[in-house]
Amino acid sequence: MSVWTGLFLSAITIAAALLASGHAIIYKRDPRSAALWVIVIWMLPAAGPVLYLLLGINRVRRRAAALRADMVRHRTVPDVTPFPSDLAFEGNPLLLDATHLIPVARLVSQIVERPLLPGNKIEPLVNGSQAYPSMLAAIESARESVCLASYIFSGDGIGTAFIEALAQAMQRGVAVRVLIDDMDARFSRSSALKRLRCNGVPVGVFNPALLPARLKVVHLRNHRKILVVDGAVGFTGGLNIDSRYWKPEDPKAAFSDLHFRLLGPVVAHLAEVFADDWQFTTGERLRGKKWFPPLPSHEGSALARGIEAGPDHTFDRVRWPFIGGLNAAQRSARVLTPYFVPDAGLISALNAAAMRGVEVDIFLPEQSDLPHLHWAAFAQLWQVLEHGCHVWISPGPFDHSKLMVVDGAWTLLGSANWDTRSLRLNFEFNVECYDTELGKQLETLAYAKRVAGRELTLAEVNARSLPIKLRDGLVRLFAPYL
């Protein structure tokens, strides 16, 4: 190699290192991540920029935004007057003692274009034993339309009942649309995809892999669970269509979860999100009264609003309501989640609430379907325990419940977990509700979990053996990718 060739290669290497480190310094949100990449780039001046190009640049958000860039999203005009965020609780006697939550409504109004709507009824459905029969009954009563989105849709067990109900609805002349995430369709042997298509049910596979590097699709998952019947009855929450949540022969062996039945103007928000996802997946636009009929405005007392979130233009939308609810809490904050791997900001918000005197309860399952996430959670539980948060471990089979209740008046329900995948990578759907009657029901449910579970102590976490601590800590290092 000539001297000039060596100098040229050295110049290229230095230029690449300068560009890569400059990009990390400017665009990395976490300064620790930026500093680590700069060190790697300059310690390995030839390989470092290549590693940063492959692993350090977040292309997920860019790709998600690009995929939907030209799509016209559907929005309905509610038949009821939305509540302005600064007067959200005036005239609602059930919320006179919750005016301190008005800032939460104002915050969500800043990040979500959908209005806060009155007149809704939100009914909790505990476990598959309550949720599945209610969902199937709604499908069986459908006259105009059924739209169903599920992250996991198994074709066996309880899934068979759903396939049959959807097929029979089509035979009655009902317009049916089903959306399944590509992860379930591609990697699950029990996916309902083939059986649905064999029964003539129109099925869309969300975000099929378009690039040769198919593994990229694992970061763009549609984790939403939405069922809307005749545009008027909605279901959402954390429940997949999966036999693990349905064991009538042995109910105590079934996974636990929470789902919700919704009536009122907010149902249009569920239908809008489904229509957008369906149009993105298939190109078909769902419009008209068949999918979006006029909705009654006096079904119940709840103020409610749908919150869609994802790595596209709706980035970080779940995180802000979590923080807003914790900051506004005066008495209590209950957090139910199967996967607890929050970032530093959420940990600080939890601790700040506890140190202000708020009773912060975090409910986690004793058993997990994803052990690595369980390990990552235990690696950082000390950070909330040492500042006064209470962690409760639910015994028995896996508890997949996802819920946040503040002061028994504000509820955030839906599909999002307290981990990086839900906060930044998945397409999620949640609903915020202001309703003390609903809050009381969910507070009772949380109290029952406290009685049935056990409190995890800081001493117990610290007493883990060194190999276990190392295992948990090592997994936590990969928290952004779990």
Side-chain angles (χ1 to χ4, degrees):
M1 183 190 309
S2 68
V3 174
W4 289 108
T5 302
L7 290 174
F8 175 75
L9 292 176
S10 297
I12 292 295
T13 301
I14 292 173
L18 285 170
L19 288 172
S21 57
H23 189 280
I25 291 169
I26 294 173
Y27 292 106
K28 282 294 177 184
R29 293 190 175 199
D30 188 340
R32 293 170 298 180
S33 176
L36 180 61
W37 273 114
V38 169
I39 292 171
V40 170
I41 289 166
W42 287 101
M43 289 290 289
L44 304 169
V50 176
L51 290 172
Y52 181 73
L53 180 66
L54 295 175
L55 304 175
I57 299 175
N58 183 0
R59 295 178 179 82
V60 173
R61 184 181 181 189
R62 185 186 306 167
R63 180 172 181 240
L67 287 172
R68 294 187 176 214
D70 299 326
M71 194 182 80
V72 178
R73 297 169 185 266
H74 185 54
R75 297 293 179 267
T76 58
V77 178
D79 295 324
V80 63
T81 303
F83 278 74
S85 59
D86 57 341
L87 300 173
F89 305 148
E90 284 194 0
N92 189 333
L94 294 174
L95 289 168
L96 292 178
D97 61 345
T99 55
H100 65 286
L101 295 172
I102 289 177
V104 184
R106 187 178 299 123
L107 180 150
V108 178
S109 295
Q110 294 294 315
I111 61 173
V112 177
E113 69 274 11
R114 290 187 169 87
L116 185 62
L117 300 176
N120 301 285
K121 181 180 180 181
I122 316 292
E123 177 188 358
L125 302 171
V126 181
N127 300 332
S129 58
Q130 291 186 9
Y132 291 146
S134 184
M135 296 166 72
L136 288 168
I139 295 171
E140 291 164 359
S141 68
R143 296 182 178 182
E144 296 290 337
S145 64
V146 174
C147 52
L148 170 63
S150 186
Y151 175 59
I152 296 174
F153 192 156
S154 295
D156 53 13
I158 189 64
T160 300
F162 276 88
I163 294 169
E164 292 175 353
L166 292 167
Q168 290 171 7
M170 286 198 63
Q171 293 172 6
R172 299 195 306 271
V174 176
V176 176
R177 303 291 185 272
V178 176
L179 190 63
I180 302 176
D181 185 73
D182 184 58
M183 281 288 291
D184 180 58
R186 187 182 301 277
F187 298 112
S188 173
R189 294 182 179 179
S190 63
S191 175
L193 178 63
K194 291 182 179 179
R195 291 194 58 192
L196 286 165
R197 287 178 172 170
C198 288
N199 281 273
V201 178
V203 184
V205 178
F206 182 86
N207 193 33
L210 301 176
L211 300 177
R214 288 190 170 188
L215 286 179
K216 289 185 178 180
V217 78
V218 305
H219 291 310
L220 294 174
R221 304 178 189 175
N222 189 334
H223 196 238
R224 295 165 180 159
K225 290 89 174 173
I226 295 174
L227 170 63
V228 180
V229 175
D230 292 336
V233 182
F235 296 84
T236 194
L239 199 66
N240 293 295
I241 300 175
D242 190 326
S243 294
R244 291 176 294 179
Y245 302 86
W246 177 256
K247 296 185 180 297
E249 72 285 354
D250 187 9
K252 293 183 178 181
F255 286 1
S256 299
D257 210 335
L258 281 174
H259 221 58
F260 295 83
R261 183 174 183 265
L262 297 85
L263 297 172
V266 75
V267 174
H269 293 178
L270 280 69
E272 289 170 4
V273 172
F274 181 90
D276 286 348
D277 287 345
W278 183 260
Q279 181 181 338
F280 164 71
T281 303
T282 69
E284 180 187 11
R285 297 187 178 189
L286 305 181
R287 304 290 188 268
K289 291 185 178 180
K290 178 182 292 187
W291 306 99
F292 298 96
L295 295 173
S297 58
H298 300 289
E299 292 285 359
S301 58
L303 300 168
R305 162 170 43 201
I307 304 174
E308 62 176 314
D312 53 358
H313 77 292
T314 59
F315 187 70
D316 248 5
R317 277 193 182 170
V318 175
R319 191 173 181 275
W320 285 113
F322 284 163
I323 292 176
L326 290 168
N327 288 346
Q330 292 185 354
R331 298 184 300 277
S332 63
R334 322 293 185 195
V335 175
L336 283 69
T337 180
Y339 314 119
F340 184 73
V341 194
D343 58 29
L346 285 172
I347 290 174
S348 296
L350 288 163
N351 289 336
M355 290 188 288
R356 286 191 292 106
V358 176
E359 185 178 54
V360 178
D361 288 330
I362 302 167
F363 296 87
L364 304 178
E366 186 168 35
Q367 300 182 30
S368 178
D369 64 336
L370 298 174
H372 58 284
L373 282 172
H374 205 57
W375 301 339
F378 269 76
Q380 60 185 57
L381 282 177
W382 63 271
Q383 296 182 58
V384 293
L385 288 170
E386 70 176 5
H387 290 291
C389 296
H390 301 276
V391 176
W392 301 88
I393 303 299
S394 299
F398 181 48
D399 191 339
H400 193 246
S401 303
K402 314 163 195 292
L403 187 70
M404 181 175 179
V405 185
V406 170
D407 292 343
W410 180 79
T411 300
L412 188 68
L413 59 94
S415 64
N417 301 308
W418 282 62
D419 63 3
T420 301
R421 180 161 296 285
S422 277
L423 295 174
R424 293 197 165 191
L425 297 176
N426 287 346
F427 292 91
E428 305 281 4
F429 182 76
N430 283 54
V431 178
E432 67 157 346
C433 312
Y434 300 81
D435 187 356
T436 52
E437 287 187 355
L438 174 65
K440 288 178 182 177
Q441 294 180 58
L442 298 175
E443 285 275 285
T444 300
L445 185 149
Y447 181 75
K449 287 185 178 292
R450 280 178 51 166
V451 172
R454 64 178 180 86
E455 185 169 8
L456 184 71
T457 66
L458 181 60
E460 184 178 349
V461 171
N462 289 338
R464 291 171 300 153
S465 66
L466 180 59
I468 295 298
K469 288 181 179 179
L470 289 172
R471 179 201 65 186
D472 296 350
L474 182 62
V475 174
R476 185 173 70 92
L477 294 178
F478 297 91
Y481 309 101
L482 298 179

